[in-house]
Amino acid sequence: MSAPVLRVDELVKHYPVPSGPFGERSVVHALDGVSLSLGEKETFAVVGESGCGKTTLARCLVRLVEPTSGSIRLAGRNVTRPSRTERREIPRLIQIVFQDPYASLNPRRTIAQSVADPLRLHARGSRAERQDKVADLLHSVGLRPELMPRYPHELSGGQRQRVAIARALAVGPRVIVCDEPVSALDVSVQAQVINLLKRLQLEHGLSYLFITHDLRLVQNIADAVAVMYLGEIVELAPMRSFRARIKHPYSQALFSATPRADPERASDRRRIVLSGDVPSPIAPPRGCRFHTRCPYRQEICETAAPELRVVADRLVRCHFADDPEFPPEPTTAPEQH
Ligand code: SF4
């Protein structure tokens, strides 16, 4: 692995919420001690069901949300509690591309204005130079300069997402957080945008943190993957090892729904359907947070919380992960209903 351009240590985000008629307060455990690192020019995917904390993680990284504790380092600089000056520097290091490009672009600003905004805010070049730079950026994402005077509603969904990507590139960030960047697009356009992101990664030396629930996409683009459940990472592995063997029962259930590329092996795998919903992040279960839905739970799982620890080539949060036969392959596991 190359030197990390992004390093997150023990990141916590708790939201206090009212919980009773007499001013009682509860805490939503959105993130609980998340650590990861992203190398230069690498793609790291964070996956999990809705409410697992992956979007909160993305928002903490680009400082749309203040973390409760923990640390974030970008290009070697600690940006956890930035001063006012440092806060202005952060967008030069990290940018975000959101799921819905229509919502992330100002409908009253032309495409040229939207892409030029970061350049203007960071005082890059004269007005004429910024216009030239906008044309270059649009060209690099496959859009014609004739679109510059248009408004977002005049563009297709794929074109709008390309504009959002061009805007994210404007000030030359090292890291781009891609928060479900293709899930709002037509299937035919999704592959084009993913190929564009791959090309831009090579051309600009970018590192990507992909937040997604699209497990096929993860297998195609990621160098490493972290699976999150109720605010915690339960498995973190290089993608090659993860493809070969999944070690956490939750990851196994999540990925059992993904079609296999190899048709010979596609039919020999059963989908694991977990029972119940994800528990409330206001009161995560005692012991292992996954025990209320885990097909392999034992008594210890209800009382003792497993640590995220090294098991061979990865990190796993499960009491039984040292057993090489655990969890059984889905072909032999009983289907859960
Ligand atoms: Fe399942 Fe127990 Fe492992 Fe948690 S610790 S994933 S409940 S087997």
Side-chain angles (χ1 to χ4, degrees):
M1 292 269 262
S2 51
V5 63
L6 168 68
R7 192 183 157 123
V8 176
D9 282 302
E10 292 296 322
L11 202 67
V12 172
K13 179 62 192 175
H14 289 170
Y15 293 99
V17 288
S19 63
F22 304 109
E24 298 94 327
R25 309 284 281 177
S26 295
V27 170
V28 174
H29 296 248
L31 281 182
D32 259 339
V34 167
S35 300
L36 56 86
S37 79
L38 170 66
E40 296 268 7
K41 302 174 195 167
E42 285 182 350
T43 300
F44 189 107
V46 179
V47 301
E49 290 164 288
S50 299
C52 70
K54 56 190 193 303
T55 295
T56 303
L57 172 64
R59 282 161 196 259
C60 284
L61 295 180
V62 294
R63 314 321 308 257
L64 290 173
V65 163
E66 283 297 315
T68 306
S69 63
S71 78
I72 303 168
R73 296 185 75 84
L74 273 167
R77 293 160 63 177
N78 190 332
V79 296
T80 320
R81 307 264 173 250
S83 64
R84 189 179 289 195
T85 317
E86 287 168 333
R87 195 171 280 278
R88 284 181 57 82
E89 295 292 315
I90 291 174
R92 297 182 189 181
L93 298 171
I94 190 165
Q95 286 282 333
I96 188 165
V97 174
F98 290 103
Q99 174 180 7
D100 182 355
Y102 197 55
S104 68
L105 295 172
N106 186 333
R108 293 199 195 85
R109 294 187 72 70
T110 65
I111 301 310
Q113 288 170 331
S114 285
V115 178
D117 277 346
L119 298 167
R120 192 173 44 78
L121 285 170
H122 289 273
R124 295 275 179 94
S126 64
R127 193 184 170 94
E129 286 167 338
R130 289 198 293 268
Q131 287 300 296
D132 290 346
K133 174 78 175 170
V134 168
D136 285 349
L137 285 164
L138 291 180
H139 177 72
S140 75
V141 298
L143 295 176
R144 289 170 287 114
E146 294 89 285
L147 295 181
M148 286 168 67
R150 303 263 186 93
Y151 287 87
H153 73 269
E154 299 177 84
L155 273 55
S156 69
Q159 287 175 322
R160 282 197 290 266
Q161 195 58 303
R162 285 170 190 265
V163 171
I165 293 168
R167 189 180 55 177
L169 288 174
V171 288
R174 306 272 301 272
V175 177
I176 296 189
V177 177
C178 301
D179 187 1
E180 305 272 15
V182 295
S183 59
L185 304 178
D186 291 342
V187 175
S188 58
V189 181
Q190 289 182 358
Q192 294 170 16
V193 173
I194 291 299
N195 288 338
L196 169 67
L197 288 168
K198 283 181 178 173
R199 174 169 64 75
L200 293 172
Q201 182 170 40
L202 292 175
E203 290 174 3
H204 296 263
L206 297 166
S207 304
Y208 291 142
L209 190 98
F210 254 82
I211 307 289
T212 183
H213 67 274
D214 185 337
L215 305 177
R216 266 185 301 183
L217 173 64
V218 169
Q219 299 188 55
N220 279 333
I221 57 152
D223 299 300
V225 59
V227 180
M228 287 190 68
Y229 186 78
L230 268 186
E232 295 180 330
I233 290 178
V234 296
E235 185 162 6
L236 190 159
M239 197 66 229
R240 206 178 325 118
S241 323
F242 193 79
R243 258 194 228 109
R245 182 79 168 105
I246 294 178
K247 284 299 292 176
H248 193 279
Y250 175 65
S251 320
Q252 189 190 46
L254 206 58
F255 279 80
S256 74
T258 315
R260 275 196 170 157
D262 178 358
E264 298 265 309
R265 299 181 63 204
S267 59
D268 67 14
R269 190 170 64 168
R270 272 215 256 169
R271 180 171 180 184
I272 300 173
V273 181
L274 294 172
S275 55
D277 296 323
V278 181
S280 165
I282 291 179
R286 279 186 68 215
C288 173
R289 291 188 177 184
F290 185 54
H291 85 257
T292 55
R293 303 171 78 200
C294 181
Y296 309 110
R297 68 179 165 268
Q298 306 280 325
E299 219 174 301
I300 184 177
C301 307
E302 296 172 24
T303 51
E307 297 287 324
L308 186 67
R309 63 202 168 84
V310 178
V311 178
D313 54 1
R314 67 190 71 195
L315 298 171
V316 190
R317 192 185 292 277
C318 173
H319 293 304
F320 308 107
D322 287 320
D323 178 350
E325 303 297 320
F326 183 89
E329 282 290 337
T331 43
T332 56
E335 197 148 343
Q336 301 292 304
H337 292 286

